PDB file of all heavy atoms in Angstrom:
ATOM      1  N   LEU A  12      24.046  20.337 -44.922  1.00 60.00           N
ATOM      2  CA  LEU A  12      23.664  19.310 -43.893  1.00 60.00           C
ATOM      3  C   LEU A  12      23.312  20.005 -42.551  1.00 60.00           C
ATOM      4  O   LEU A  12      22.317  19.579 -41.981  1.00 60.00           O
ATOM      5  CB  LEU A  12      24.840  18.343 -43.706  1.00 60.00           C
ATOM      6  CG  LEU A  12      24.590  17.187 -42.778  1.00 60.00           C
ATOM      7  CD1 LEU A  12      23.548  16.344 -43.213  1.00 60.00           C
ATOM      8  CD2 LEU A  12      25.857  16.411 -42.567  1.00 60.00           C
ATOM      9  N   ALA A  13      24.090  21.041 -42.234  1.00 65.00           N
ATOM     10  CA  ALA A  13      23.813  21.710 -41.011  1.00 65.00           C
ATOM     11  C   ALA A  13      22.479  22.483 -41.090  1.00 65.00           C
ATOM     12  O   ALA A  13      21.577  22.355 -40.104  1.00 65.00           O
ATOM     13  CB  ALA A  13      24.885  22.664 -40.615  1.00 65.00           C
ATOM     14  N   ALA A  14      22.172  23.024 -42.283  1.00 62.00           N
ATOM     15  CA  ALA A  14      20.853  23.767 -42.384  1.00 62.00           C
ATOM     16  C   ALA A  14      19.744  22.691 -42.409  1.00 62.00           C
ATOM     17  O   ALA A  14      18.646  23.005 -41.745  1.00 62.00           O
ATOM     18  CB  ALA A  14      20.846  24.493 -43.794  1.00 62.00           C
ATOM     19  N   ALA A  15      19.892  21.529 -42.973  1.00 60.00           N
ATOM     20  CA  ALA A  15      18.825  20.523 -42.893  1.00 60.00           C
ATOM     21  C   ALA A  15      18.617  20.074 -41.562  1.00 60.00           C
ATOM     22  O   ALA A  15      17.510  19.839 -41.060  1.00 60.00           O
ATOM     23  CB  ALA A  15      19.170  19.389 -43.767  1.00 60.00           C
ATOM     24  N   ALA A  16      19.747  19.897 -40.752  1.00 60.00           N
ATOM     25  CA  ALA A  16      19.463  19.433 -39.355  1.00 60.00           C
ATOM     26  C   ALA A  16      18.797  20.496 -38.491  1.00 60.00           C
ATOM     27  O   ALA A  16      18.004  20.226 -37.735  1.00 60.00           O
ATOM     28  CB  ALA A  16      20.916  19.129 -38.763  1.00 60.00           C
ATOM     29  N   LEU A  17      19.182  21.804 -38.699  1.00 56.00           N
ATOM     30  CA  LEU A  17      18.492  22.901 -38.014  1.00 56.00           C
ATOM     31  C   LEU A  17      16.992  22.960 -38.289  1.00 56.00           C
ATOM     32  O   LEU A  17      16.177  23.261 -37.502  1.00 56.00           O
ATOM     33  CB  LEU A  17      19.196  24.222 -38.248  1.00 56.00           C
ATOM     34  CG  LEU A  17      20.586  24.403 -37.513  1.00 56.00           C
ATOM     35  CD1 LEU A  17      21.154  25.630 -37.982  1.00 56.00           C
ATOM     36  CD2 LEU A  17      20.392  24.401 -36.037  1.00 56.00           C
ATOM     37  N   ALA A  18      16.656  22.682 -39.618  1.00 64.00           N
ATOM     38  CA  ALA A  18      15.281  22.770 -40.021  1.00 64.00           C
ATOM     39  C   ALA A  18      14.515  21.543 -39.471  1.00 64.00           C
ATOM     40  O   ALA A  18      13.323  21.654 -39.199  1.00 64.00           O
ATOM     41  CB  ALA A  18      15.253  22.702 -41.580  1.00 64.00           C
ATOM     42  N   ALA A  19      15.133  20.449 -39.149  1.00 60.00           N
ATOM     43  CA  ALA A  19      14.494  19.328 -38.608  1.00 60.00           C
ATOM     44  C   ALA A  19      14.234  19.361 -37.102  1.00 60.00           C
ATOM     45  O   ALA A  19      13.340  18.652 -36.626  1.00 60.00           O
ATOM     46  CB  ALA A  19      15.303  18.048 -38.943  1.00 60.00           C
ATOM     47  N   ILE A  20      14.923  20.192 -36.443  1.00 65.00           N
ATOM     48  CA  ILE A  20      14.842  20.303 -35.002  1.00 65.00           C
ATOM     49  C   ILE A  20      13.461  20.635 -34.481  1.00 65.00           C
ATOM     50  O   ILE A  20      12.901  19.974 -33.629  1.00 65.00           O
ATOM     51  CB  ILE A  20      15.861  21.256 -34.406  1.00 65.00           C
ATOM     52  CG1 ILE A  20      17.261  20.661 -34.476  1.00 65.00           C
ATOM     53  CG2 ILE A  20      15.538  21.600 -32.931  1.00 65.00           C
ATOM     54  CD1 ILE A  20      18.460  21.520 -34.039  1.00 65.00           C
ATOM     55  N   PRO A  21      12.756  21.587 -35.073  1.00 61.00           N
ATOM     56  CA  PRO A  21      11.332  21.876 -34.593  1.00 61.00           C
ATOM     57  C   PRO A  21      10.430  20.758 -34.837  1.00 61.00           C
ATOM     58  O   PRO A  21       9.607  20.463 -33.933  1.00 61.00           O
ATOM     59  CB  PRO A  21      10.892  23.135 -35.406  1.00 61.00           C
ATOM     60  CG  PRO A  21      12.160  23.755 -35.890  1.00 61.00           C
ATOM     61  CD  PRO A  21      13.179  22.677 -36.081  1.00 61.00           C
ATOM     62  N   ALA A  22      10.518  20.039 -35.930  1.00 57.00           N
ATOM     63  CA  ALA A  22       9.679  18.875 -36.207  1.00 57.00           C
ATOM     64  C   ALA A  22       9.973  17.729 -35.123  1.00 57.00           C
ATOM     65  O   ALA A  22       9.085  17.051 -34.664  1.00 57.00           O
ATOM     66  CB  ALA A  22       9.843  18.287 -37.601  1.00 57.00           C
ATOM     67  N   PHE A  23      11.197  17.612 -34.808  1.00 53.00           N
ATOM     68  CA  PHE A  23      11.697  16.514 -33.922  1.00 53.00           C
ATOM     69  C   PHE A  23      11.129  16.859 -32.467  1.00 53.00           C
ATOM     70  O   PHE A  23      10.623  16.057 -31.761  1.00 53.00           O
ATOM     71  CB  PHE A  23      13.168  16.375 -33.929  1.00 53.00           C
ATOM     72  CG  PHE A  23      13.660  15.274 -32.894  1.00 53.00           C
ATOM     73  CD1 PHE A  23      13.400  13.988 -33.244  1.00 53.00           C
ATOM     74  CD2 PHE A  23      14.423  15.648 -31.860  1.00 53.00           C
ATOM     75  CE1 PHE A  23      13.971  13.031 -32.394  1.00 53.00           C
ATOM     76  CE2 PHE A  23      14.915  14.663 -30.946  1.00 53.00           C
ATOM     77  CZ  PHE A  23      14.609  13.359 -31.236  1.00 53.00           C
ATOM     78  N   ALA A  24      11.222  18.142 -32.132  1.00 52.00           N
ATOM     79  CA  ALA A  24      10.847  18.686 -30.840  1.00 52.00           C
ATOM     80  C   ALA A  24       9.237  18.476 -30.750  1.00 52.00           C
ATOM     81  O   ALA A  24       8.761  17.986 -29.670  1.00 52.00           O
ATOM     82  CB  ALA A  24      11.165  19.970 -30.511  1.00 52.00           C
ATOM     83  N   ALA A  25       8.465  18.681 -31.765  1.00 56.00           N
ATOM     84  CA  ALA A  25       7.063  18.577 -31.788  1.00 56.00           C
ATOM     85  C   ALA A  25       6.669  17.022 -31.610  1.00 56.00           C
ATOM     86  O   ALA A  25       5.748  16.676 -30.969  1.00 56.00           O
ATOM     87  CB  ALA A  25       6.457  19.085 -33.018  1.00 56.00           C
ATOM     88  N   ALA A  26       7.443  16.159 -32.301  1.00 55.00           N
ATOM     89  CA  ALA A  26       7.241  14.667 -32.120  1.00 55.00           C
ATOM     90  C   ALA A  26       7.477  14.270 -30.739  1.00 55.00           C
ATOM     91  O   ALA A  26       6.753  13.448 -30.252  1.00 55.00           O
ATOM     92  CB  ALA A  26       8.082  13.957 -33.176  1.00 55.00           C
ATOM     93  N   LEU A  27       8.502  14.698 -30.064  1.00 52.00           N
ATOM     94  CA  LEU A  27       8.817  14.380 -28.668  1.00 52.00           C
ATOM     95  C   LEU A  27       7.683  14.904 -27.766  1.00 52.00           C
ATOM     96  O   LEU A  27       7.271  14.194 -26.782  1.00 52.00           O
ATOM     97  CB  LEU A  27      10.209  15.022 -28.259  1.00 52.00           C
ATOM     98  CG  LEU A  27      11.398  14.213 -28.794  1.00 52.00           C
ATOM     99  CD1 LEU A  27      12.637  14.933 -28.332  1.00 52.00           C
ATOM    100  CD2 LEU A  27      11.392  12.812 -28.250  1.00 52.00           C
ATOM    101  N   ALA A  28       7.122  16.022 -28.049  1.00 55.00           N
ATOM    102  CA  ALA A  28       6.071  16.645 -27.165  1.00 55.00           C
ATOM    103  C   ALA A  28       4.753  15.817 -27.377  1.00 55.00           C
ATOM    104  O   ALA A  28       4.053  15.651 -26.410  1.00 55.00           O
ATOM    105  CB  ALA A  28       5.880  18.173 -27.500  1.00 55.00           C
ATOM    106  N   ALA A  29       4.582  15.295 -28.511  1.00 56.00           N
ATOM    107  CA  ALA A  29       3.389  14.515 -28.775  1.00 56.00           C
ATOM    108  C   ALA A  29       3.463  13.079 -28.322  1.00 56.00           C
ATOM    109  O   ALA A  29       2.448  12.410 -27.993  1.00 56.00           O
ATOM    110  CB  ALA A  29       3.091  14.494 -30.206  1.00 56.00           C
ATOM    111  N   ALA A  30       4.591  12.664 -28.113  1.00 50.00           N
ATOM    112  CA  ALA A  30       4.847  11.170 -27.644  1.00 50.00           C
ATOM    113  C   ALA A  30       4.127  10.819 -26.365  1.00 50.00           C
ATOM    114  O   ALA A  30       3.551   9.819 -26.201  1.00 50.00           O
ATOM    115  CB  ALA A  30       6.308  10.866 -27.739  1.00 50.00           C
ATOM    116  N   PRO A  31       4.311  11.610 -25.303  1.00 52.00           N
ATOM    117  CA  PRO A  31       3.721  11.307 -23.998  1.00 52.00           C
ATOM    118  C   PRO A  31       2.176  11.330 -24.143  1.00 52.00           C
ATOM    119  O   PRO A  31       1.481  10.460 -23.559  1.00 52.00           O
ATOM    120  CB  PRO A  31       4.218  12.408 -23.073  1.00 52.00           C
ATOM    121  CG  PRO A  31       5.356  12.978 -23.628  1.00 52.00           C
ATOM    122  CD  PRO A  31       5.251  12.785 -25.125  1.00 52.00           C
ATOM    123  N   ALA A  32       1.584  12.195 -24.897  1.00 49.00           N
ATOM    124  CA  ALA A  32       0.134  12.183 -25.094  1.00 49.00           C
ATOM    125  C   ALA A  32      -0.331  10.910 -25.802  1.00 49.00           C
ATOM    126  O   ALA A  32      -1.333  10.371 -25.507  1.00 49.00           O
ATOM    127  CB  ALA A  32      -0.273  13.475 -25.839  1.00 49.00           C
ATOM    128  N   ALA A  33       0.417  10.530 -26.868  1.00 48.00           N
ATOM    129  CA  ALA A  33       0.040   9.314 -27.548  1.00 48.00           C
ATOM    130  C   ALA A  33       0.223   8.066 -26.692  1.00 48.00           C
ATOM    131  O   ALA A  33      -0.538   7.214 -26.642  1.00 48.00           O
ATOM    132  CB  ALA A  33       0.924   9.142 -28.811  1.00 48.00           C
ATOM    133  N   ALA A  34       1.252   8.046 -25.926  1.00 47.00           N
ATOM    134  CA  ALA A  34       1.512   6.969 -24.962  1.00 47.00           C
ATOM    135  C   ALA A  34       0.413   6.836 -23.817  1.00 47.00           C
ATOM    136  O   ALA A  34       0.024   5.798 -23.471  1.00 47.00           O
ATOM    137  CB  ALA A  34       2.910   6.987 -24.303  1.00 47.00           C
TER     138      ALA A  34
END
Side-chain angles (χ1 to χ4, degrees):
L12 183 61
L17 285 174
I20 289 176
F23 183 68
L27 284 177

